[in-house]
Every structure is written in structure tokens, then in C-alpha cells.
């Protein structure tokens, strides 16, 4: 049985709705590939960039178990083992394989998974059967016209789709997947990358829609302009705050996102033990792709 939302608010650093949590997470970079093409995404293997979509290396599911063992020994406040890339967790089988191994080795650790949701309807049953405790789905728009400006295209069941058609398939699958997984009692967080020139006005509508599908909490992540959206601006504190307020009428809002790397370990915004987990030291530079 999955850990419920009330417990996650206390024990999961990314589900705290009030004050910043003092709990930690270890990310396991087991998912190399992706099946969609977000225009702001710049996936990399390095030990410099401090943002999602970046890890120093890809590790195997078996290596991931060792990483969790080391991480919890280094930081007793780590309560969550998460997979957040650097690609999509459902585009390759490694994330679900990892969670099966982690469940056996660490039955009490919270299993957290982040996905773009394209393959969520295909894998919902497996996610429920494994007992993932918290699922994050990145939904940047629920209107295909807007989504088509954020994502170039998708590869779905062996076929390439572009523009509005790609956006329609992606949105449909995200919403259907959220509904199925939420109905099984798994807590869903939705991440939205806030892009002032494209989706700023649309965020509360997206929040309302995913809330109706069963999502419990919402995380608005400011864009770091890069890649094909380098022409967009980084949202300022004032506008982020206003949009969070407008969104809160529909769903609880998480405000402490640290835009973590795919191999982050420790307490978000606090103790960082990632340097001690890998052979290559992790240096940091502030850029960003997704959540
Ligand atoms: Fe990792 Fe994401 Fe799970 Fe948290 S991060 S998979 S939900 S354990 Fe958290 Fe980091 Fe923000 Fe993500 S602070 S980027 S929201
Ligand atoms: Fe894939 Fe995530 Fe990058 Fe989008 S941001 S292309 S979902 S890895």
C-alpha cells in the first residue's frame, strides 16, 4: 500500500505545503532516454549544471540500490528514493526495475517517480502494483495550442507526432494517466514549468484540470531560459507569487522546489551528500531544464 498524502506532507520534502521540510531525497539517475522533445530541455551528463535533466552518469538499477544504501548512511534524514531522469522514467524500463529492487531492499523508504506522463496509461497498472508512493507528472499546458509551443513533438508507440497532434496525444495521456493512478490511492504532484511568454496566464486552468483528475499538489517551476526557449524570460518573484496565489484556489501549492539534478542527494536546499556518492565530484552551476 502507498504512503498517503497526509503522511507525505510530513515525510516527503517535495510535498510539504507549509514550511520547508527537513527531510531528504536521493535521486537515482537510471533513466537515460526521453520520448518527447520539450523546447526548454537540455539533457546533459556532467558534474556542473545544477538543474533537472543533468546527472554525472547513468547508473544501473543494481547500482542504484548501492547508492541508496550509501546515501541513507550519510544522511539519516533521507526518507525518499526518487527517479527523476535525466530522461523520462517510462521511456526505458530501468526506473520501474529500480523501484522493484528498492522495495525489497528498503521496504520503508518512500518511492517517488517523476514522468512526462506520455506512457502513464500504458504503465499505470505496473506503477500501482509496485506501490509507488508519490508520482510527479510534468504538465506544462492542458490546451494543445499552448502545449505545441512548448513541446516540438513526441514518439509514441513507434510513431513520430509533431505540433498540435503531438500535444493532443500527450495531454490526453497525461490526464487519463493521472486519473487512473490517483484513483488507486497514489498521491500525484503536478509540475508546471512557468514560461512567461507562453503559459503564464494558463497555469491556473491547468491546475484546475489536473486537480479534477485527482492530483493533490502543484509545483510551479520558473523557467531558466535555454535551448529553443532561450528567447523567453525567466519569471520574476512577483509574477511567480501572483500565479501561485491564483492557482491555490484549485489545488495545494508546493513552494520550495530546488530544481534538483537527476542525481541530487540530501535535503533540497540544505545538506548535499551527492559529492560523496559518486567518484566524480559534483560542482554546481545554475541553469535549468524541467521538473
Ligand atoms: Fe525527486 Fe521530484 Fe520526487 Fe522530489 S525532487 S522526483 S518529487 S523526490 Fe522536489 Fe527537486 Fe523540486 Fe523535484 S525539489 S525538482 S519537486
Ligand atoms: Fe523529456 Fe523531461 Fe526533457 Fe521534457 S524536460 S524532453 S520530458 S527529459
Amino acid at each position: 500500500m502507498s504512503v498517503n498524502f497526509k503522511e507525505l506532507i510530513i515525510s516527503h520534502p517535495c510535498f510539504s505545503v507549509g514550511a520547508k521540510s527537513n527531510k531528504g531525497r536521493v535521486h537515482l539517475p537510471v533513466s537515460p532516454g526521453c520520448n518527447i522533445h520539450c523546447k526548454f530541455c537540455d539533457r546533459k551528463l556532467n558534474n556542473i549544471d545544477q538543474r533537472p535533466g543533468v546527472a554525472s552518469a547513468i547508473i544501473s538499477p543494481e547500482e542504484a540500490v548501492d547508492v541508496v544504501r550509501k546515501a541513507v548512511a550519510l544522511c539519516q534524514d533521507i526518507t525518499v528514493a526518487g527517479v527523476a531522469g535525466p530522461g523520462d522514467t517510462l521511456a526505458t524500463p530501468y526506473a520501474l526495475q529500480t523501484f522493484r529492487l528498492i522495495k525489497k531492499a528498503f521496504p520503508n523508504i518512500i518511492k517517488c517517480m517523476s514522468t512526462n506522463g506520455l506512457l502513464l496509461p500504458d504503465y499505470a497498472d505496473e506503477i500501482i502494483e509496485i506501490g509507488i508512493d508519490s508520482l510527479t507528472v510534468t504538465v506544462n499546458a492542458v490546451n494543445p495550442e499552448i502545449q505545441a509551443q512548448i513541446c516540438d513533438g513526441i514518439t509514441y508507440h513507434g510513431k513520430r507526432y509533431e505540433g498540435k497532434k503531438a500535444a493532443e496525444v500527450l495531454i490526453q495521456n497525461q490526464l487519463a494517466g493521472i486519473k487512473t493512478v490517483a484513483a488507486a490511492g497514489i498521491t500525484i504532484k503536478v509540475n508546471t514549468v512557468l514560461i512567461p511568454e507562453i503559459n503564464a496566464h494558463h497555469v491556473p486552468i491547468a491546475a484546475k484540470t489536473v486537480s479534477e483528475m485527482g492530483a493533490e499538489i502543484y509545483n510551479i517551476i520558473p523557467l531558466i531560459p535555454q535551448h529553443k526557449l532561450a528567447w523567453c524570460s525567466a519569471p520574476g518573484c512577483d509574477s511567480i507569487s501572483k500565479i501561485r496565489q491564483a492557482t491555490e484556489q484549485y489545488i495545494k501549492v508546493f513552494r520550495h522546489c530546488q530544481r534538483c539534478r537527476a542525481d541530487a542527494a540530501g535535503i533540497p536546499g540544505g545538506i548535499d551528500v551527492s559529492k560523496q556518492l559518486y567518484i566524480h565530484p559534483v560542482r554546481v552551476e545554475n541553469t535549468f531544464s524541467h521538473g
Side-chain angles (χ1 to χ4, degrees), residues 22-65:
N22 57 3
K23 300 296 180 194
R25 46 76 189 105
V26 53
H27 278 174
L28 305 162
V30 296
S31 302
C34 194
N35 40 23
I36 74 172
H37 301 278
C38 300
K39 291 190 189 184
F40 53 75
C41 180
D42 187 12
R43 271 195 317 285
K44 274 187 183 152
L45 289 184
N46 72 30
N47 53 22
I48 299 171
D49 295 359
Q50 177 64 10
R51 60 174 172 86
V54 180
S56 53
I58 302 295
I59 59 172
S60 69
E62 290 74 20
E63 287 169 324
V65 177

Side-chain angles (χ1 to χ4, degrees), residues 23 75 82 115 217 240 272 289:
K23 300 296 180 194
C75 176
T115 176
I217 186 162
I240 298 169
D272 176 0
S289 75

